Amino acid sequence: MSVTHSLDTSTSRANPVPSPLKRLTVPKLQAMKGSEPIVMLTAYTARMAQLLDPHCDLLLVGDSLGQVIYGLPSTVPVTLEMMCAHGAAVVRGSWHAVVAIDMPFGSYEASPEQAFASAARVLKETGAAAVKLEGGEAMAETVAFLVKRGIPVVGHVGLTPQAVNALGGYRARGRDEAEAAKILADARAVAEAGCFALVLEGVMEEIAAEATRAVSCPTIGIGASATCDGQVLVTEDMLGLFERTPRFVKRYDDLAARISEAAATYAGEVRSRAFPTEDQIYRTK
Ligand code: KIV
């Protein structure tokens, strides 16, 4: 069953929504390599998508929603149902950017066929244009299987958070030669298998630069230096919603403090009966 529905502009709380632009396409994004930097942010809700969409080329419904939205300890428990529900919301809230949706842990690794069934469900239920999956050489056959069947794929190598239990943490990758060579081999493998963009997460600058030169698709870095063809951050990190953020995050705001302040002011006004005022109440004439 499709849950894509379109946004009802008469009941939406948002300002009048911008008139629909023609959405960017996967081939247009691919063609940005070597010309314009690709701007990508995560989004999990319709309203956040509305706010970010005019500024972004790609919106990623990341499985980081497990930690950011659900307070889970990692991305491992995230389900296909969660990704479909949030993916559909982001598609409803956007008109311009390509929307890519993370395939959650356990929904694609067993076989190319399992990956196809999961990815087809994601695209049908959300209306998104692409999926993202983690893994290098081991996932190349799966990437090729999906791409040949019409499913655009974003690859993701380097630090792959779904493998946290095997990696033993979230430290940046590629500090020794063997690890660096493996990351480069992973990048080449999924790029040659046909992914249209490649996320490089938490890798040394030299590896990002070499991978960006080596692959024909755009690379999108997160903690992977300015040598990549584009950049992605978790939106809530860059907005300053969390006290602790990794070194590679630049905070563009301090929303946690501002939300806390607004909530404290509201609480004070409720307790002192300063809210609601005449302006916020209904009266019979
Ligand atoms: O899940 C996510 O948000 C991601 C990005 C950080 C690349 O994979």
Side-chain angles (χ1 to χ4, degrees), residues 100-125:
I101 302 193
D102 256 336
M103 303 272 281
F105 178 70
S107 72
Y108 64 95
E109 302 89 333
S111 66
E113 288 77 8
Q114 184 209 21
F116 182 82
S118 300
R121 176 176 168 196
V122 165
L123 297 195
K124 277 174 187 282
E125 291 193 12

Side-chain angles (χ1 to χ4, degrees), residues 12-44:
S12 165
R13 277 192 171 83
N15 285 332
V17 286
S19 54
L21 305 166
K22 201 164 160 34
R23 210 184 266 277
L24 268 174
T25 61
V26 164
K28 281 190 183 147
L29 272 181
Q30 232 169 340
M32 286 168 75
K33 185 172 177 94
S35 55
E36 277 178 80
I38 292 177
V39 180
M40 180 172 174
L41 282 170
T42 58
Y44 318 119

Side-chain angles (χ1 to χ4, degrees), residues 60-67 73-80 82-83 101-110 114-115 118 122 131-136 139 142 154-171 173 199 201:
L60 173 67
V61 187
D63 60 353
S64 50
L65 64 76
Q67 287 132 311
S74 75
T75 55
V76 172
V78 172
T79 64
L80 213 43
M82 288 174 177
M83 298 312 300
I101 302 193
D102 256 336
M103 303 272 281
F105 178 70
S107 72
Y108 64 95
E109 302 89 333
Q114 184 209 21
S118 300
V122 165
V131 296
K132 176 166 85 58
L133 58 84
E134 294 182 10
M139 282 299 126
T142 294
V154 180
H156 183 156
V157 303
L159 171 58
T160 48
Q162 291 176 9
V164 62
N165 292 317
L167 298 175
Y170 296 105
R171 68 173 187 86
R173 316 296 300 169
V199 169
E201 178 164 357

